[in-house]
Amino acid sequence: DILVWDVVNESFEDDGRYRESIWHEAMGERYIDIAFRQARASDPDANLVYNDYDVAFAGPKADAMFEMLAGLRARDVPIDGVGFQVHVFAAFDRFDEMAEAFRRVAALDLDIYVTELDVSMLPGDTEEAQAEVYERILSACLEQPRCKGFQSWGYTDRYSWRRQYTPLMMDENYRAKPAYYALQRRLMEN
């Protein structure tokens, strides 16, 4: 049994076209319907999720995803939520767009999951700025009742896929950074 199932992942290119994959090449866009229906048949109680990156902000990729979600809902395809991969930098400032994306998902009667969060730093960025971005993204989740999950894409910079940008809440020596404490503080306020 699976609690939350990332059924379909990263279906769109940045320009909103469907990504060429083995599934798309074999079945066209209907592969998404088939995958969700099969997942529901395999585990009727699982929360079935579509997951993608760069869809928490306005743009052609998000537009394509929302069009797909509306179509899935109209065809009664069993989908329960949307996973947002949020790989951003410490200068990130598109919180209003993120809140709007969360609102649009909730308006489709779907749950929201932040599935992959990291906040990279460039030279000149501070850990305090990084912590603020983490905290504000958590706040966007907490302020949206349909947000059901919030997870980082790792916890220590030592093993991060973006290690060179020190994006996580613990440094390479497993010491907590300001982001760790900012999230704790925000969760205690909730």
Side-chain angles (χ1 to χ4, degrees), residues 110-175:
L110 296 170
D111 290 332
I112 297 150
Y113 298 87
V114 176
T115 57
E116 300 179 20
L117 174 61
D118 52 38
V119 180
S120 293
M121 295 195 306
L122 294 172
D125 289 338
T126 66
E127 289 184 346
E128 289 71 23
Q130 179 187 50
E132 181 180 348
V133 172
Y134 267 106
E135 184 175 1
R136 289 187 68 184
I137 292 171
L138 175 59
S139 290
C141 179
L142 292 172
E143 291 164 7
Q144 173 47 254
R146 294 302 298 258
C147 193
K148 304 297 183 187
F150 183 87
Q151 63 191 51
S152 63
W153 198 233
Y155 65 95
T156 173
D157 291 335
R158 179 178 294 235
Y159 300 111
S160 171
W161 71 297
R162 299 178 96 182
R163 180 180 182 177
Q164 71 273 25
Y165 299 118
T166 61
L168 296 171
M169 294 167 285
M170 293 188 173
D171 69 16
E172 64 280 352
N173 294 312
Y174 298 89
R175 288 186 303 248

Side-chain angles (χ1 to χ4, degrees), residues 80-95:
D80 302 305
V82 175
F84 289 90
Q85 300 174 30
V86 185
H87 304 293
V88 296
F89 285 86
F92 179 76
D93 64 356
R94 298 170 75 178
F95 302 103

Side-chain angles (χ1 to χ4, degrees), residues 40-95:
R40 178 63 80 222
S42 298
D43 190 342
D45 297 323
N47 293 306
L48 307 181
V49 175
Y50 174 76
N51 192 55
D52 214 329
Y53 65 92
D54 290 346
V55 292
F57 334 112
K61 187 172 188 175
D63 292 342
M65 180 192 73
F66 281 109
E67 182 178 330
M68 176 202 67
L69 292 172
L72 293 174
R73 300 304 278 168
R75 293 187 301 279
D76 292 321
V77 173
I79 180 172
D80 302 305
V82 175
F84 289 90
Q85 300 174 30
V86 185
H87 304 293
V88 296
F89 285 86
F92 179 76
D93 64 356
R94 298 170 75 178
F95 302 103

